[in-house]
Amino acid sequence: MRLKGRIALITGSASGIGRATAKLFAEEGAKVALADLDREGGKSAVEEIRRAGGQALFRKTDVASEKQIRAVVAAVAKEWGGLDILVNNAAAFVFGTVEEATEADWDRVLGVNVKGYAFCAKYAAREMRKRGGGSIVNLASISAFIAQPAFVPYNTSKGAVLQLTRCLAYDLAADHIRVNCVCPGAIDTPATMRHARSVGLTKEELVNQLKPMHLIKRMADPREVAHAILFLASDEASFITATPLMVDGGYTAH
Ligand SMILES: NC(=O)c1ccc[n+]([C@@H]2O[C@H](COP(=O)([O-])OP(=O)(O)OC[C@H]3O[C@@H](n4cnc5c(N)ncnc54)[C@H](O)[C@@H]3O)[C@@H](O)[C@H]2O)c1
């Protein structure tokens, strides 16, 4: 078990990649705190983990709120005595051109994907320091590296996640806190399906469009990203910090 005895907080863990990561971390022996806006999804994920013999709790949390972030980190530390791992995974999926994006769109996408990640790191780092170190894994994306049509707010936020990762890694290294990010390509999650619907495509049409863009010609299962997050969170990555790990089936190689 690679995370035996570790305490982990995963945001956006009611669905998709976050949920798959919570399940995998619990299988690897971690106590897992799930934080999400979606109470139903979060509770069902916790039940699933407990049924499989794992330890988990859920707190309804909006990561756009510093107050709620502070509260969830405090609740986890109170319940289990500290925090070792943070996975910043929750995201606002706000797409469009610069002319389409409203001020509210920018506030939402940067509030969740950038400010939210920074405040989670702030409060998590305080707890990790008390335990002599820890690991933070941020969800960036291939969107941190490439431009896509009418993806301005989302891709800007993911570019910021990449730089946030490096800057946090710099400042927290002395406290033995490693900070890395994973950069997924197209993953088969509810968010991807919502995007397909919003641009008038069926799942099959979207998959056919995305497949050729990956050297491995398919979309990935969320668990394939969870394994990369697990690696970075675990001691197996003990000399890795400030690194973006591509989990993109080779998308960015061409
Ligand atoms: N799906 C992909 O193809 C893909 C590709 C690259 C990167 N990513 C990144 O992976 C991460 C997970 O994406 P996913 O596809 O699993 O999405 P998803 O929509 O399946 O899950 C996201 C979860 O985040 C929660 N959430 C949203 N806003 C929140 C907030 N303010 N506070 C708390 N929780 C909130 C949602 O309720 C949901 O449960 C995101 O950071 C996303 O940008 C996804």
Side-chain angles (χ1 to χ4, degrees):
M1 283 199 177
R2 280 176 283 181
L3 299 181
K4 196 164 175 48
R6 300 289 164 87
I7 300 158
L9 171 62
I10 306 176
T11 70
S13 33
S15 170
I17 294 167
R19 187 179 179 120
T21 305
K23 284 160 61 178
L24 184 61
F25 276 24
E27 288 166 24
E28 292 289 339
K31 292 175 183 160
V32 189
L34 294 87
D36 201 295
L37 280 174
D38 173 6
R39 191 186 295 276
E40 289 306 304
K43 292 207 154 175
S44 81
V46 165
E47 278 162 26
E48 215 178 315
I49 290 169
R50 287 184 182 158
R51 269 200 306 275
Q55 289 190 69
L57 62 81
F58 171 74
R59 288 283 180 284
K60 184 172 190 292
T61 308
D62 181 353
V63 301
S65 156
E66 182 183 5
K67 196 172 157 199
Q68 292 188 34
I69 290 167
R70 193 171 53 221
V72 70
V73 172
V76 175
K78 187 164 178 236
E79 183 73 21
W80 286 327
L83 184 64
D84 304 301
I85 298 163
L86 166 68
V87 181
N88 266 321
N89 167 80
F93 296 90
V94 181
F95 303 112
T97 64
V98 77
E99 283 155 275
E100 287 160 350
T102 64
E103 190 170 8
D105 287 336
W106 280 109
D107 287 346
R108 190 156 70 89
V109 75
L110 298 179
V112 175
N113 302 7
V114 184
K115 194 187 78 174
Y117 283 30
F119 279 119
C120 284
K122 170 181 172 176
Y123 290 99
R126 287 182 182 173
E127 291 300 327
M128 290 173 184
R129 216 172 269 128
K130 292 181 202 163
R131 287 164 74 84
S135 175
I136 298 174
V137 184
N138 296 323
L139 267 290
S141 170
I142 54 170
S143 296
F145 295 91
I146 61 165
Q148 291 147 293
F151 264 50
V152 174
Y154 179 78
N155 284 24
T156 302
S157 76
K158 290 297 177 180
V161 170
L162 178 61
Q163 199 57 351
L164 176 71
T165 301
R166 293 182 175 134
C167 293
L168 288 175
Y170 200 110
D171 288 346
L172 297 175
D175 295 315
H176 309 289
I177 299 170
R178 297 181 296 101
V179 189
N180 294 289
C181 61
V182 293
C183 305
I187 316 300
D188 189 352
T189 71
T192 306
M193 293 314 124
R194 278 196 307 275
H195 179 63
R197 282 197 297 277
S198 75
V199 293
L201 296 175
T202 63
K203 177 172 177 175
E204 198 186 357
E205 286 165 341
L206 181 80
V207 170
N208 287 337
Q209 205 178 79
L210 290 171
K211 265 193 330 199
M213 296 175 180
H214 300 75
L215 300 184
I216 299 171
K217 299 216 177 296
R218 61 177 175 83
M219 276 170 62
D221 184 90
R223 204 166 160 94
E224 296 180 272
V225 184
H227 276 288
I229 298 170
L230 169 64
F231 167 64
L232 290 174
S234 77
D235 290 343
E236 288 173 1
S238 54
F239 200 54
I240 301 178
T241 197
T243 289
L245 174 55
M246 308 312 292
V247 190
D248 68 349
Y251 190 117
T252 45
H254 59 98

